[in-house]
Amino acid sequence: MTLPANHFIAIAGNPNSGKTTAFNRYTGARQHVGNYPGITVEQKQGYAHLDGIEISLVDLPGTYSLTAYSMEEVVARRVLADDRPGAVIDVINTGVLERNLYLSVQMMEMGIPLVLALNMMDEAKAHGIEIDYKQLEQNTGLPCVPMIARKGDGLDEALRSAVELAKKTNGRIKPLELSFGPDIDAALLEMTPIIEEAKLLTDRHPARWIATKFLEADEDVISLATKADRATTEKLNKICSKVATHLNTTAKTYPEAIIADYRYGWIHSVLSNGVLKGADELMERTVFSDKLDLVLTHKVAGPVILIAVLYAMYFLTIEIGNYPLEWINSLFDWLHRSVGSVMSEGPLNSLITDGIIAGVGGVLSFVPLIMIMFMFLAVLEDSGYMARVAYIMDRIFRLFGLHGASIMPFIIAGGIAGGCAVPGVMGARTLRSPKERLATILTAPFMTCGAKIPVFLLFVGVFFQDNRTSVLFLVTLSGWAVALIVARILRWTIIKGEPTPFVMELPPYRYPVLSGVLIHTWERTWQYIKKAGTVILGISILLWAAMTYPGLTDEAKDNYISQREVVYNNSALTDEQKEEQIVEINNTEAKDSLDCSLAGKVGKAVAPLTALSGFDWQTNIALIGGVAAKEVVISTLGTAYSLGEVDADASEALADKIKKDSHWTKANAISLMIFTLLYSPCFVTLMVIKRETGKWRWTFFSLFFNLALALALSTVAYQMFK
Ligand code: GDP
Ligand code: MG
């Protein structure tokens, strides 16, 4: 091809959409028919003249899809990938717009600049179909031209748009990255970097597109990949079969079906908000979903139902979860007491009872509650309702300078409850605009992730017995409110820029499969337990050591020993009185020892900073530990309380200890909940922020900005409620 790329245009489309008619009108006699090298699929090539320039045209074989099921599809795809036309005129039979767009989406996923030529407008009009082109252009981001190929209407406009587009884009646009739901998205996120790193076919296709093809079990791509790099191909296939098995067991479906569903979901929303009028056919495929959506995503009813659903979820979680919570608490009580009494006094005893059982036990005791919450979450996700949540929130998000696609990262980070900021921050990759992506990354950690939830549950249980659900609900809403306000401020100040348009994908509703819900629930719960047994265990031991050593000086110890001797030898006291006084002395000694431990010193050093927020230095230790992982807030409070008191009830649940401790008031609890919700993201999240933004600057921003914000707001709260 000697012509510059922007003078080489391909015509693509479904069979019988009018491609050849258009091609013949463009090229007249200047065409020749040949076979695509090595394959007996007819291919027409020719030249058109427009505004004094010569344009080379190719008429691609008609296909409904680009999945390589047929030779036609393989050829169409190879021409698009290898010959690289500057742009493609996508000839569409407007009467069946939805089905025709299925091919367009796939070309957009390949990163090919398209002009949507809405052909057969005469027929469409006769059928009463009307189209709002401006809206369609906005929704797709593509130029749209009405056309009647048989009469020659719109042909020049389409070609002119294509040449302009080719000039502007140089033959490549940023590939459309659709979300295909949590399971497929996770696999894509895992596969894409592998493909990029191995440079597997990336000279021809976008990495994410290749990954999608692997998941669609595309033989053409997989065989090309095997030839290029067998080891990497095998690695990718392994990930694919894992997802495939998972989808089969949890949802009785397979990746291709899900991917197709989401593509249609996208098309569906592209055609919504008034683009298309009078096309009954469009409504057939998803009648049930549509009817449901009329209510569930209704402007007024939608948000009301959403709030009701979330409230119900919280209510049920807390009400049902309270029973197992008490059982587990008494189990750990018993464990603490028996281990404590079986083992002889000493550092090892203290490590196991105060460090491990009180620390990790505090985290584990919330497993049943968390599990119930995860179960509701799985139902919301598997049914397709979660996508609607995003849809409903979209309007609100725009007001705050975020993108509609920011919602999924928020939800993954714990927007509903019990997520994790790490995949949340990574999920922001689906955002195209770097600025909106950055704003999303920096605000997603304000959500109520699974590690923060135990803190809220603990204090809600102690101080808000009568309206636990409302308070927990309020905490979640506060997370959203702060995230949105901070995003707004960031988008007005350091991350300024215009919002980009967004089209929401709505997959059809499905009945959740019970086994699927159970598996999803268990997967998340197991993650939680595993983390408690590994990372949190490790940090608990470290913090126990920091709270125990260097300990009291010998002199101080001797002082307590002699105090006890005085009590023993005092014949004026009854045995009961003696015991009482000894416990008193023991407690003072324990507090004293915690005082002069390493952690005690650190906790006290920052005490002036946190005094206005109502945190004592034990809480400070817990909060500092919480930067390592948020679960540590609970485990450290558990250890601190366990170390600080050695009376007969030392082993009772943390909640009971806090209830009895007169230093703890509602104001402290509110302040601590606000602080925990908002302060610095945990260590892993900070590292992921560095990796995703590529800059330490944003890691430090998250660390210090969030800390300052949390401190300020918790201070205000404490001073207000004190
Ligand atoms: P291809 O398979 O995409 O190459 O489609 P063709 O160009 O062969 O067209 C299929 C049929 O649609 C032919 O009978 C054309 O005459 C007819 N056709 C093409 N464009 C139009 C149009 O704009 N309006 C109408 N009513 N018919 C058209
Ligand atoms: Mg044809």
Side-chain angles (χ1 to χ4, degrees), residues 339-614:
V339 174
S341 60
V342 166
M343 289 176 61
S344 55
E345 286 280 330
L348 190 63
N349 182 328
S350 168
L351 169 65
I352 292 180
T353 56
D354 305 326
I356 297 175
I357 298 180
V360 176
V363 178
L364 284 181
S365 62
F366 287 100
V367 165
L369 264 172
I370 296 264
M371 193 157 154
I372 293 166
M373 187 169 267
F374 285 163
M375 201 175 73
F376 287 119
L377 213 55
V379 172
L380 294 187
E381 254 169 27
D382 292 2
S383 64
Y385 185 68
M386 207 59 110
R388 271 72 190 178
V389 175
Y391 184 86
I392 296 166
M393 296 302 295
D394 178 38
R395 258 168 287 167
I396 301 172
F397 266 54
R398 276 165 216 270
L399 297 177
F400 290 89
L402 284 172
H403 194 257
S406 312
I407 299 156
M408 265 309 158
F410 271 42
I411 290 177
I412 295 169
I416 303 297
C420 175
V422 172
V425 166
M426 279 162 63
R429 281 184 198 172
T430 47
L431 279 115
R432 289 165 162 231
S433 141
K435 288 182 175 169
E436 286 162 339
R437 178 163 172 246
L438 182 58
T440 309
I441 288 176
L442 295 179
T443 47
F446 290 127
M447 300 291 114
T448 41
C449 77
K452 294 176 193 171
I453 294 249
V455 179
F456 306 138
L457 289 174
L458 174 72
F459 288 103
V460 163
V462 174
F463 291 103
F464 300 94
Q465 259 309 318
D466 299 332
N467 31 26
R468 291 176 293 194
T469 309
S470 317
V471 174
L472 195 61
F473 192 62
L474 209 63
V475 170
T476 301
L477 290 188
S478 312
W480 282 86
V482 170
L484 288 177
I485 293 168
V486 169
R488 186 64 271 178
I489 294 169
L490 289 176
R491 298 283 279 131
W492 270 332
T493 54
I494 49 178
I495 332 179
K496 253 188 251 178
E498 286 302 301
T500 53
F502 170 65
V503 183
M504 194 63 226
E505 301 132 44
L506 288 184
Y509 287 101
R510 291 168 201 275
Y511 284 106
V513 184
L514 180 66
S515 62
V517 169
L518 293 182
I519 291 171
H520 281 145
T521 305
W522 177 246
E523 278 173 352
R524 288 217 177 100
T525 309
W526 178 238
Q527 289 286 321
Y528 182 85
I529 296 174
K530 215 163 63 179
K531 194 172 169 200
T534 52
V535 181
I536 308 304
L537 176 66
I539 301 171
S540 291
I541 293 173
L542 283 179
L543 279 170
W544 167 84
M547 284 187 270
T548 305
Y549 297 103
L552 293 172
T553 57
D554 286 345
E555 205 177 318
K557 274 186 200 155
D558 288 343
N559 179 19
Y560 283 108
I561 291 172
S562 52
Q563 274 187 35
R564 275 187 288 260
E565 267 165 16
V566 171
V567 174
Y568 269 125
N569 300 333
N570 187 346
S571 50
L573 294 170
T574 65
D575 279 357
E576 250 168 55
Q577 284 170 323
K578 276 184 190 171
E579 178 146 344
E580 236 169 60
Q581 292 194 6
I582 299 269
V583 166
E584 187 94 336
I585 294 166
N586 286 352
N587 275 344
T588 320
E589 181 181 3
K591 288 221 169 75
D592 207 4
S593 161
L594 192 53
D595 260 15
C596 51
S597 71
L598 183 65
K601 283 186 188 124
V602 174
K604 282 194 172 154
V606 294
L609 214 63
T610 60
L612 286 175
S613 316

Side-chain angles (χ1 to χ4, degrees), residues 170-192:
N170 244 330
R172 280 291 177 271
I173 52 168
K174 188 160 186 325
L176 173 68
E177 291 186 357
L178 292 183
S179 160
F180 299 117
D183 291 317
I184 301 274
D185 280 357
L188 287 176
L189 222 51
E190 193 181 344
M191 293 165 76
T192 309

Side-chain angles (χ1 to χ4, degrees), residues 158-363:
L159 190 56
R160 201 169 286 128
S161 294
V163 172
E164 256 167 45
L165 189 64
K167 218 182 278 172
K168 208 165 67 191
T169 60
N170 244 330
R172 280 291 177 271
I173 52 168
K174 188 160 186 325
L176 173 68
E177 291 186 357
L178 292 183
S179 160
F180 299 117
D183 291 317
I184 301 274
D185 280 357
L188 287 176
L189 222 51
E190 193 181 344
M191 293 165 76
T192 309
I194 297 175
I195 293 168
E196 275 165 359
E197 194 153 308
K199 295 203 167 59
L200 185 65
L201 310 181
T202 45
D203 53 329
R204 315 176 63 203
H205 297 293
R208 186 181 160 97
W209 184 86
I210 296 170
T212 313
K213 290 294 132 186
F214 264 85
L215 285 164
E216 287 180 295
D218 185 298
E219 279 175 24
D220 186 49
V221 164
I222 293 177
S223 84
L224 284 175
T226 312
K227 265 181 227 152
D229 182 346
R230 183 174 289 272
T232 307
T233 304
E234 268 165 22
K235 213 193 284 176
L236 295 169
N237 276 330
K238 221 175 263 164
I239 300 173
C240 291
S241 55
K242 205 172 69 196
V243 194
T245 319
H246 180 83
L247 285 174
N248 189 23
T249 46
T250 59
K252 302 264 176 293
T253 182
Y254 46 97
E256 282 164 86
I258 302 249
I259 290 172
D261 271 353
Y262 275 87
R263 283 195 186 123
Y264 273 113
W266 182 84
I267 291 170
H268 199 77
S269 48
V270 156
L271 295 182
S272 65
N273 54 37
V275 167
L276 196 62
K277 287 182 199 86
D280 297 334
E281 196 206 351
L282 193 74
M283 292 300 170
E284 266 168 34
R285 196 175 160 276
T286 45
V287 195
F288 169 68
S289 278
D290 287 337
K291 280 195 182 139
L292 214 51
D293 273 338
L294 280 183
V295 183
L296 294 184
T297 64
H298 184 267
K299 264 192 193 123
V300 183
V304 173
I305 295 171
L306 170 61
I307 288 176
V309 166
L310 294 191
Y311 194 86
M313 172 177 158
Y314 278 29
F315 179 77
L316 290 171
T317 302
I318 291 178
E319 290 306 313
I320 305 171
N322 217 29
Y323 299 100
L325 179 67
E326 279 171 15
W327 304 332
I328 295 234
N329 271 337
S330 34
L331 176 76
F332 280 108
D333 270 15
W334 173 82
L335 208 64
H336 192 277
R337 211 168 308 156
S338 356
V339 174
S341 60
V342 166
M343 289 176 61
S344 55
E345 286 280 330
L348 190 63
N349 182 328
S350 168
L351 169 65
I352 292 180
T353 56
D354 305 326
I356 297 175
I357 298 180
V360 176
V363 178

Side-chain angles (χ1 to χ4, degrees), residues 29-43:
R30 299 175 297 267
Q31 54 169 277
H32 87 270
V33 182
N35 278 347
Y36 190 78
I39 302 172
T40 53
V41 172
E42 184 181 278
Q43 169 162 342

